[in-house]
Amino acid sequence: MLDSDTKRRINTCRDILVGKVPDPKSQVEQITIALIYKFMDDMDLESEEMGGARTFFAGEFERYAWAKLVAPGVGGQEMLNTYTEALTKMVENPGIPELFRSIFRNAYLPYRDPETLRSFLREINGFTYDHSERLGDAFEYLLSVLGSQGDAGQFRTPRHIIDFMVEIIDPKKDEVILDPACGTAGFLISSYKHILKANSTDTAGNGEGVERDAAEATLDSPLRYSGDLLTPEDRLRLASNIHGYDISPDMVRLSLVNLYLHGFVDPKVEEYDTLTSDDKWGETADVILANPPFMSPKGGIKPHNRFGVPSKRSEVLFVDYIAEHLNPKGRAAIVVPEGIIFQSQSAYCDLRRMLVDKYLAAVISLPAGVFNPYSGVKTSILILDRTVAKAGDSIAFFKVENDGFGLGAQRRAIKGSQLPQVKAELIAWLDAVHGGGEVVLESYLGHSVSKTRISDGGDYNLSGERYREDATQRNSIFPIVPLSEVISSLGSGVSVNSENRITKPGEFGILKTSAVTSGIFDPSEHKAILPEEVERAKCSPKRGSIIISRMNTEALVGASVYVDADYPNLFLPDRLWQTVITRADVSARFVHLVISSELYRTKISNVCGGTSGSMKNIGKAQFLGIEIPLPPLEVQREIVAEIERYQSILDGARAVLENYRPHIPIETSWPIVEIGKFCSLAGKITTDVDLSKPYFGADSFEANTGNLLKMETAENQRVNGPVYEFSGRRLLYSKIRPYLNKLTIVDLEGYCSSDMYPLTVDEAVADLDYLAINLLSDSFQTAIRGFYERASIPKINRGQLFGTKIPLPPLETQQAIVAEIKAEQALVAANRDLIARFEMKIEAAIARVWGGAKKTSSEQAAA
């Protein structure tokens, strides 16, 4: 178990380095190299204590020994000179194995401050090498600070997702295991631990071997297995069977250390470009696990010509490579972006055809926030199994909505993970198909679809919900009825001439479609009807009706609201319908809840018209033909009451988030200083954009809080205009209204929209977080309001921003204020997890209506 002292030491090391080495990846590299340096000295000392001789620091390298480096009386400059020289010389040391030479290759110290180094090495000196699992967990914790690997377009895979994938694939002790884009070797370490567990007599893991919620599978509570059933020959074979490749020498170095600290004396990780080199094309594996890079460099990949699917896209080539390098009974699990699932370009279609025909067993859709805060990109897991693909005629699809962590930027642990259930259902289905039976999978989380149905149309789309309609109809314990039996009439408005303004008292207005798209009826979203058009207007919103958008974008067609009052002065446009429900056994509120659910949204998407990427529409006959479950009236009312209770909690939590503003109690003794006196623009406008680096737009952060919502690459954001380029810790501030209250602090190399300012401060007098708090405050918004209200384009220019004054107390006071406000913000931020939890409760309440199995109304009539 990762003890608190070790965790504290790692955090302290990073805190010491952050002023000189702001990049998290560089911090990890510096700590890694220092730890290995220290551990070599520990091993020399152990050798001496057992009567042997030093090997790591012997001969001319004895003067670099750690004990001499940190000995009392060694001056700061002497320590700096010795350590710097040792890093460059260690690769020439004949007394260390090739593994350590690989780790020290290209190592260097990126700063020249003796006091920083002294503090850093003093903290490193507290670590000891004992080949313990605890030390391996400590290093995994260190690696967890890594986020986006911008150069590779790759995001670190959360550990609980890694373990989930490994448990499904179930690697064995005698199988060859490969990760062709291994990063920090997370999949390889997890596979090793999985095999230890499977070959241990103590399968309870020291009393902890119960099935855990994904939220509990953290670095602070790992299970322990001895692997005592493995023979020495098993262990040797296992160590030689676990392989990894990575294109980045830095990642290879981290992988080597990670594996070494988990007991691999000679780890098999190599620097290798899987896509452009064919040196290892003939090497295959029994198990392949990977989260390959999603992004391709400008101009695309230039692969060799041995791939089965011609493409320049890295995600296509990696999936192709993995499939083609599986042994005849091989298995794989791959994290892929959504493009692999449904993109219509020929390379994607050809890849899916190949997978469905020969390799694919299952597709697991993950929530869009799994990689937050580094990226909001939507991902899925492909499960390849050549035996299952050959034996079965169908593919399993699962949709995970709760992976055990909230989907906000902080990714806080929450209860109710669906991963254990998905794992159990999928493993049971795979085992059944392996056994020769054609098994139909049907549950709330998963379903199977025939390969013939998937191949219809030729695009081999792997969006599981596309094939879900029949399953939802079979699963309800209540009668399934078409909406035509529930809705007495469905009226639509007309198109009339109007003015784009709010009505005055007594005037008539026509609703905009935006009045319904939020899910809550907003009568203020309307335009004024010209007087001569009033007679043509019809369909005023009535109490107890449901208004539905019949034409909108793909995400919003079919959106609906419940109307709880009469609005005689407002009318519907031709893009909106209004229902009239007169059946005494039907609650209009219940119907609205059902047609607002995700399961209903799937039905809408299956019957609406229009081309992909454009406006969608649904015809009246198609809409009224959609079938929904209809419980007895008392059950409908119970569900409505339950959801309204949840909704009241949601409304309160959202109100906290919307209304909270950081407040600084100002003392009269504090100087009021122009922002420009201590703050400056720290970026340059450029059109020469490296598409693999992060890019931030107004949708990257949350209003009012400074929270980063997502981080995507310039390629993913389709950047094609002038942007600000910056490097280091920066406050990104949006200068265009209505986004003046949107900002965030980042620490990396990247780009932001030219509608933002990348700002830095004089750290001797100002704290960047303190500035951010001021920019979000009501007093600052009041101070700048006149600037953008008078401007033809509502924005604040550089001179106006830097000329605005804020209170600037002593630096220590600023930092104390920041600490207090961050504590407040942590309490406020907890409302996000509350929102996520109760949104899932609402969806679960509706989903219960769809669960089970009973006849449709037409089947009942026939009976």
Side-chain angles (χ1 to χ4, degrees):
M1 181 175 181
L2 179 61
D3 62 283
S4 58
D5 183 62
T6 303
K7 185 175 180 179
R8 179 198 61 77
R9 287 188 183 279
I10 291 173
N11 290 336
T12 302
C13 287
R14 292 190 63 224
D15 290 342
I16 291 169
L17 291 176
V18 70
K20 303 295 180 181
V21 187
D23 176 39
K25 180 166 168 281
S26 298
Q27 294 168 16
V28 171
E29 290 172 355
Q30 290 302 309
I31 295 171
T32 298
I33 291 166
L35 284 174
I36 292 298
Y37 194 140
K38 166 68 166 60
F39 295 159
M40 290 194 306
D41 197 65
D42 287 351
M43 286 184 276
D44 268 352
L45 180 61
E46 183 181 7
S47 178
E48 284 184 325
E49 289 175 348
M50 297 177 67
R54 285 181 169 265
T55 57
F56 292 97
F57 295 101
E60 64 176 296
F61 289 91
E62 184 178 357
R63 61 196 176 98
Y64 298 127
W66 181 272
K68 294 184 178 181
L69 178 70
V70 298
V74 175
Q77 191 60 49
E78 181 185 355
M79 180 184 291
L80 178 67
N81 294 340
T82 303
Y83 187 69
T84 303
E85 183 179 332
L87 293 185
T88 59
K89 290 283 189 181
M90 205 58 65
V91 72
E92 303 170 7
N93 187 345
I96 65 176
E98 177 58 33
L99 167 65
F100 291 140
R101 281 199 290 273
S102 299
I103 292 168
F104 282 101
R105 192 164 289 124
N106 300 319
Y108 72 101
L109 189 67
Y111 59 90
R112 302 293 298 175
D113 178 24
E115 288 311 309
T116 298
L117 180 65
R118 181 190 294 276
S119 299
F120 174 62
L121 295 186
R122 184 183 298 123
E123 204 62 48
I124 292 291
N125 198 45
F127 290 94
T128 56
Y129 176 72
D130 58 5
H131 248 316
S132 69
E133 182 73 15
R134 183 180 68 181
L135 192 55
D137 283 338
F139 193 69
E140 285 190 49
Y141 173 72
L142 175 62
L143 295 179
S144 73
V145 308
L146 287 177
S148 167
Q149 304 306 317
D151 293 340
Q154 188 176 28
F155 300 101
R156 183 179 182 275
T157 315
R159 174 168 160 171
H160 69 290
I161 297 296
I162 290 176
D163 292 344
F164 170 72
M165 294 165 64
V166 168
E167 288 162 8
I168 290 171
I169 295 301
D170 188 24
K172 303 293 195 295
K173 66 180 182 179
D174 56 351
E175 291 183 318
V176 175
I177 301 165
L178 171 67
D179 183 346
C182 69
T184 59
F187 282 108
L188 303 182
I189 297 294
S190 181
S191 297
Y192 172 64
K193 290 182 177 181
H194 178 84
I195 292 169
L196 287 182
K197 175 182 175 181
N199 292 274
S200 297
T201 52
D202 180 17
T203 55
N206 296 330
E208 296 183 291
V210 295
E211 186 67 50
R212 289 173 177 263
D213 197 316
E216 296 175 302
T218 66
L219 289 171
D220 293 312
S221 58
L223 300 180
R224 291 286 177 270
Y225 301 100
S226 63
D228 56 295
L229 298 178
L230 293 172
T231 66
E233 292 77 15
D234 288 335
R235 290 182 181 273
L236 284 173
R237 183 170 56 249
L238 178 59
S240 65
N241 277 351
I242 294 180
H243 298 264
Y245 311 144
D246 203 280
I247 193 173
S248 165
D250 295 335
M251 290 296 103
V252 170
R253 177 188 298 160
L254 294 178
S255 292
L256 291 172
V257 174
N258 200 8
L259 287 161
Y260 183 78
L261 295 180
H262 281 86
F264 287 72
V265 177
D266 184 23
K268 310 297 183 184
V269 176
E270 302 174 67
E271 183 181 340
Y272 180 69
D273 187 342
T274 307
L275 304 186
T276 65
S277 174
D278 63 355
D279 295 347
K280 299 181 182 297
W281 186 264
E283 299 179 11
T284 58
D286 301 298
V287 167
I288 303 179
L289 297 138
N291 175 11
F294 293 171
M295 300 303 147
S296 303
K298 191 173 183 179
I301 301 288
K302 296 181 180 178
H304 55 74
N305 59 7
R306 303 180 73 172
F307 288 91
V309 179
S311 177
K312 293 184 178 181
R313 303 291 304 178
S314 62
E315 66 268 30
V316 173
L317 293 169
F318 264 112
V319 175
D320 182 352
Y321 179 93
I322 290 168
E324 294 198 57
H325 285 77
L326 286 175
N327 287 331
K329 295 184 179 180
R331 310 176 305 288
I334 321 164
V335 179
V336 297
E338 284 297 271
I340 292 290
I341 303 300
F342 60 76
Q343 284 279 11
S344 59
Q345 291 97 318
S346 60
Y348 291 95
C349 293
D350 292 345
L351 176 68
R352 292 194 295 267
R353 181 184 297 108
M354 180 187 79
L355 293 175
V356 170
D357 287 347
K358 296 192 294 183
Y359 300 100
L360 188 62
V363 180
I364 305 168
S365 173
L366 296 176
V370 164
F371 288 97
N372 276 341
Y374 312 112
S375 174
V377 65
K378 179 76 173 66
T379 56
S380 293
I381 298 170
L382 301 183
I383 302 296
L384 311 187
D385 188 318
R386 295 191 66 175
T387 302
V388 167
K390 184 177 180 179
D393 294 323
S394 61
I395 291 170
F397 291 89
F398 289 87
K399 183 178 181 180
V400 174
E401 294 175 327
N402 179 357
D403 69 327
F405 294 85
L407 300 180
Q410 304 303 315
R411 292 287 279 153
R412 292 186 176 88
I414 60 174
K415 294 292 185 180
S417 171
Q418 296 167 330
L419 295 182
Q421 185 65 28
V422 168
K423 181 180 70 175
E425 291 184 13
L426 177 53
I427 289 175
W429 184 81
L430 292 171
D431 288 345
V433 178
H434 269 291
E438 186 55 42
V439 183
V440 175
L441 171 67
E442 205 59 77
S443 73
Y444 171 59
L445 293 174
H447 62 292
S448 56
V449 181
S450 70
K451 294 180 183 180
T452 302
R453 187 176 178 195
I454 294 171
S455 66
D456 287 347
D459 64 350
Y460 287 79
N461 190 297
L462 297 179
S463 300
E465 293 302 297
R466 175 176 182 170
Y467 310 105
R468 186 69 167 171
E469 177 147 4
D470 290 343
T472 60
Q473 290 185 6
R474 283 197 302 271
N475 278 354
S476 180
I477 62 173
F478 304 112
I480 299 292
V481 301
L483 285 172
S484 60
E485 291 187 15
V486 174
I487 297 171
S488 305
S489 65
L490 189 65
S492 64
V494 295
S495 177
V496 296
N497 294 318
S498 60
E499 296 180 282
N500 193 15
R501 62 176 178 82
I502 297 291
T503 57
K504 299 173 184 177
E507 283 189 308
F508 291 91
I510 187 162
L511 292 172
K512 301 177 183 178
T513 54
S514 53
V516 307
T517 51
S518 70
I520 299 173
F521 185 51
D522 184 359
S524 68
E525 286 290 306
H526 70 265
K527 299 182 289 185
I529 299 176
L530 295 180
E532 60 270 23
E533 295 278 78
V534 172
E535 289 187 7
R536 294 183 53 238
K538 58 181 181 179
C539 251
S540 290
K542 297 289 193 301
R543 180 193 301 269
S545 67
I546 303 169
I547 299 178
I548 301 153
S549 173
R550 70 173 185 85
M551 182 183 296
N552 216 310
T553 61
E554 186 166 3
L556 295 175
V557 63
S560 62
V561 294
Y562 178 80
V563 182
D564 56 5
D566 292 327
Y567 295 89
N569 276 32
L570 293 178
F571 298 95
L572 273 62
D574 58 349
R575 290 188 172 190
L576 296 179
W577 283 326
Q578 179 169 242
T579 69
V580 175
I581 297 176
T582 58
R583 279 183 55 168
D585 62 341
V586 175
S587 161
R589 284 186 180 272
F590 172 80
V591 173
H592 172 240
L593 290 173
V594 171
I595 68 174
S596 301
S597 67
E598 285 298 318
L599 291 171
Y600 168 83
R601 296 294 313 157
T602 301
K603 294 172 174 287
I604 283 284
S605 66
N606 287 337
V607 298
C608 65
T611 58
S612 178
S614 67
M615 295 294 287
K616 295 283 189 175
N617 60 78
I618 181 171
K620 186 176 291 188
Q622 286 76 25
F623 174 76
L624 292 175
I626 293 175
E627 295 187 319
I628 66 169
L630 190 68
L633 182 60
E634 60 271 21
V635 176
Q636 297 176 43
R637 288 171 173 166
E638 288 173 5
I639 292 170
V640 169
E642 177 185 358
I643 290 177
E644 285 182 343
R645 288 196 300 272
Y646 297 153
Q647 190 62 52
S648 66
I649 296 172
L650 280 173
D651 292 343
R654 288 183 177 128
V656 171
L657 291 176
E658 290 169 5
N659 294 315
Y660 172 77
R661 297 290 185 278
H663 174 68
I664 300 174
I666 300 172
E667 296 184 10
T668 55
S669 60
W670 294 352
I672 307 298
V673 182
E674 290 183 355
I675 291 175
K677 297 294 186 183
F678 59 86
C679 176
S680 59
L681 189 65
K684 63 177 182 179
I685 290 287
T686 182
T687 56
D688 184 15
V689 177
D690 181 346
L691 295 179
S692 68
K693 289 185 177 180
Y695 170 84
F696 302 89
D699 61 344
S700 299
F701 13 99
E702 187 175 48
N704 304 324
T705 66
N707 287 327
L708 180 64
L709 295 177
K710 62 181 180 179
M711 187 169 75
E712 298 182 315
T713 63
E715 179 183 43
N716 189 271
Q717 294 278 53
R718 295 180 174 85
V719 174
N720 57 11
V723 294
Y724 273 112
E725 181 179 15
F726 63 88
S727 176
R729 193 163 188 260
R730 299 290 182 266
L731 191 164
L732 306 183
Y733 174 73
S734 179
K735 62 186 178 182
I736 302 288
R737 184 171 173 81
Y739 305 117
L740 286 172
N741 58 343
K742 300 193 77 171
L743 56 81
T744 197
I745 294 177
V746 297
D747 188 356
L748 41 71
E749 291 184 12
Y751 307 96
C752 67
S753 164
S754 58
D755 290 333
M756 297 176 187
Y757 293 132
L759 303 175
T760 189
V761 295
D762 179 354
E763 295 181 351
V765 298
D767 183 279
L768 197 62
D769 288 290
Y770 177 79
L771 174 61
I773 290 168
N774 273 274
L775 296 183
L776 289 173
S777 68
D778 288 337
S779 59
F780 179 80
Q781 295 296 318
T782 300
I784 65 171
R785 184 169 293 120
F787 296 141
Y788 58 75
E789 285 182 346
R790 293 191 300 268
S792 57
I793 299 177
K795 68 177 181 179
I796 178 171
N797 63 40
R798 196 185 316 178
Q800 292 165 340
L801 173 64
F802 289 160
T804 302
K805 296 180 179 181
I806 67 169
L808 195 69
L811 185 59
E812 298 78 13
T813 304
Q814 296 176 44
Q815 292 168 341
I817 290 170
V818 168
E820 183 176 349
I821 288 179
K822 283 190 173 181
E824 288 178 3
Q825 290 173 333
L827 295 174
V828 171
N831 286 276
R832 293 186 184 84
D833 290 338
L834 194 67
I835 289 169
R837 182 170 301 190
F838 278 87
E839 283 177 340
M840 284 191 289
K841 281 180 175 289
I842 289 175
E843 194 63 37
I846 292 297
R848 289 200 307 270
V849 183
W850 298 91
K854 200 169 183 179
K855 296 177 181 178
T856 66
S857 57
S858 57
E859 290 171 332
Q860 290 172 329

